[in-house]
Amino acid sequence: IGSMAGKEMKNRGGKCLKEVHTVTEALKTLYQEKLLPLEKYYDFSDFHSSSLEDADFDNKPMILVVGQCSTGKTTFIRYLLEQEYPGSRIGPEPTTDSFTAIMHGEIEGIIHGNALTVDPNKPFRKLSSFGTTFLNRFQCVHLPNRVLESISIIDTPGILSVAKRKMSRGYDFPAVIHWFAEHVDRIILLCDAHKLEISDEFSHTIMALRGNEDKLRVVLNKADMVDSQELMRVYGALMWSLGKVFCTPEVLRVYVGSFWSSPMRMTDNRKLFEQEEEDLFADIQNLPRNSALRKLNDLVKRARLVRAHAYIISSLKEEMPLVFCREKKKRDLIYDLPIIYSRIQQRYRISPGDFPDCAKMQERLMSHDFKFKAFKPKLLAGLDELLNTDIAKLMPLLSQEEEETADQLLVQGGPFLGSQMGPFIVGNPFNHYGSNGESDNVSNVEWVVLKDKPKYDEIFYNLSPHEGKLSGSKVKGWMMSTHLPSSVLGRIWKLADVDRDGMLDDEEFALAGHLIEVKLEGFGLPHELPAQLVPPSKRQHKNSGTEIRDNND
């Protein structure tokens, strides 16, 4: 690599890392040469997560969407993608009964779980250990969507409420959630402003997220359905409930809003909701930029757990007799595991936070044959070198990658329009786009808005246009009165402002009104402005073969 950091990184086992060109490649090499041998030697996968594969390092950032039934998980995903995906269903009762990985693909289609677990290009091969019942409830949807070019999204079944807690899924739901939590970049935990009860399965699911709190973002959804006073009480109750389940003194960040494209029921807190949405979407938009750092962080976390595991297994091996009274000694050692933990921490100066949960480790040891391998200092020395030297040498390369790709690695498309939301971008009511984008030859196509134009003309002239055009500040108030979310109105503005001058003439205003009516009737907005929607006066310059798009090209 061009940087000195890459040239200086050497592996004690003899292989030089100077051929590595990215942080991801370096992490993959370090894992395979220094961490994986230790995992295999001490049977790490029997007690913790399975070994990592190339796809775990190479895959795009993933978002796990979790929540109780009817909290708006699927609607939230549709809001991000701005389109439906195959198999998505929405209703007041549990409708999503499967884990669905939504990923980018040029051709729309569905791949079922059993086929997914044998695909080496997908990071799901290790999920086969959860059995056929789970795999029958797991699928991958390929979708040609611009948002999915940068990230993938995992939709999950609704967490069962108190009334349904005795129902059996046929597989270990919290364990599956824990597996995904370890492999994703962001976890979105959705809560409903009307449903704050914490069921048993909800508690177990949150416990499965422990150790990944840095990835967690809590969203209080459907907040537009309550007034300001009730929202304050709901927010306080949610914080109290989450504090009890997470058992930490730190307060979680909770994003409050209504993440769907329908009109808001109550608009008292509209500005708050928009600011919260902007913060959450900015966090999601930066996931590709922070992906290498997340993988590095997860590898360090895994390496520390492997080190603690190796010392635990070695200590148990030392204590076990060769022949006699093995079963009794096994029971005694399992019972004394907290004391063994403490002894290892003091002897090797390892932080208690690096150790696995003692109760879970005791449970897994009960079913193990205790045929462990002896302590191997050479393997531990390689792991210490990884933690103390190799990772530190990667930091300059990581900084260099971030600088080189600062403007490239951002989620684009969908609601991630940034400064291209016209008068609906906070603090910039007169945003100008510059001229770009043409449409096909549409001069002979009838304009579908024409029949309703007199109705919109009356509104247009009542708003006092200047030289035949309305500025963003004049149009904004009228559009906001529809109570549609600003992200949706931003897309409508971008589609309606055909000539990209930051203002609307009478035809563009009529087009905006037509698109608003379409949205209020429950239909989706087009990603590209169809020929029949292009205003007649704008058609003479629209013959270059390109279409007007509502996303960034």
Side-chain angles (χ1 to χ4, degrees), residues 311-322 329 333 343 347-348 372-375:
Y311 282 120
I312 293 168
I313 298 302
S314 298
S315 297
L316 294 174
K317 169 69 176 176
E318 290 177 5
E319 297 285 342
M320 281 295 290
L322 293 177
K329 187 62 174 178
L333 288 173
R343 189 187 308 149
R347 181 177 177 181
Y348 298 103
F372 300 128
K373 294 179 180 177
F375 184 69

Side-chain angles (χ1 to χ4, degrees), residues 384-394:
D384 288 336
E385 184 183 30
L386 183 149
L387 288 169
N388 300 326
T389 307
D390 295 331
I391 295 296
K393 289 179 179 178
L394 282 179

Side-chain angles (χ1 to χ4, degrees), residues 5 19 81 85 117 133 174 205 306 318 332 393 408 447 452:
E19 297 300 322
L81 301 180
Y85 58 90
T117 56
T133 305
T205 301
V306 170
E318 290 177 5
D332 292 343
K393 289 179 179 178
Q408 304 171 18
W447 192 36
D452 295 321

Side-chain angles (χ1 to χ4, degrees), residues 419-552:
S419 61
Q420 300 199 9
M421 289 174 61
F424 301 96
I425 178 69
V426 176
N428 185 10
F430 302 104
N431 181 59
H432 290 257
Y433 299 87
S435 178
N436 65 353
E438 306 284 334
S439 75
D440 293 330
N441 189 349
V442 296
S443 56
N444 298 322
V445 181
E446 182 182 355
W447 192 36
V448 298
V449 186
L450 188 61
K451 62 182 183 300
D452 295 321
K453 190 171 184 297
K455 174 178 65 175
Y456 296 121
D457 280 349
E458 183 179 352
I459 302 172
F460 178 81
Y461 289 108
N462 283 337
L463 292 174
S464 304
H466 176 67
E467 296 182 354
K469 293 194 174 187
L470 288 172
S471 65
S473 59
K474 288 185 177 180
V475 178
K476 184 175 181 179
W478 172 73
M479 294 180 74
M480 294 279 282
S481 67
T482 64
H483 296 168
L484 286 170
S486 290
S487 58
V488 174
L489 294 177
R491 289 186 58 211
I492 291 173
W493 173 275
K494 189 165 189 278
L495 288 168
D497 186 15
V498 180
D499 58 11
R500 303 293 191 262
D501 65 349
M503 306 181 80
L504 301 184
D505 60 21
D506 59 326
E507 288 183 339
E508 292 173 325
F509 183 84
L511 174 59
H514 175 78
L515 293 173
I516 286 173
E517 284 198 7
V518 166
K519 194 63 197 171
L520 290 174
E521 289 172 7
F523 298 99
L525 293 172
H527 289 278
E528 302 170 353
L529 196 60
Q532 65 270 23
L533 286 180
V534 178
S537 66
K538 305 295 185 294
R539 295 180 180 184
Q540 66 241 17
H541 303 298
K542 308 296 178 184
N543 298 318
S544 68
T546 352
E547 290 181 314
I548 302 169
R549 302 176 64 90
D550 99 296
N551 54 8
N552 305 326

Side-chain angles (χ1 to χ4, degrees), residues 276-311:
E276 294 284 280
E277 178 180 307
E278 186 180 349
D279 288 349
L280 179 60
F281 283 4
D283 181 69
I284 294 173
Q285 192 170 29
N286 282 299
L287 286 180
R289 181 185 293 171
N290 300 325
S291 179
L293 181 60
R294 192 276 303 174
K295 291 170 184 173
L296 187 149
N297 181 62
D298 283 357
L299 187 69
V300 171
K301 191 190 305 181
R302 185 182 184 93
R304 290 181 178 277
L305 178 60
V306 170
R307 181 177 61 180
H309 174 81
Y311 282 120

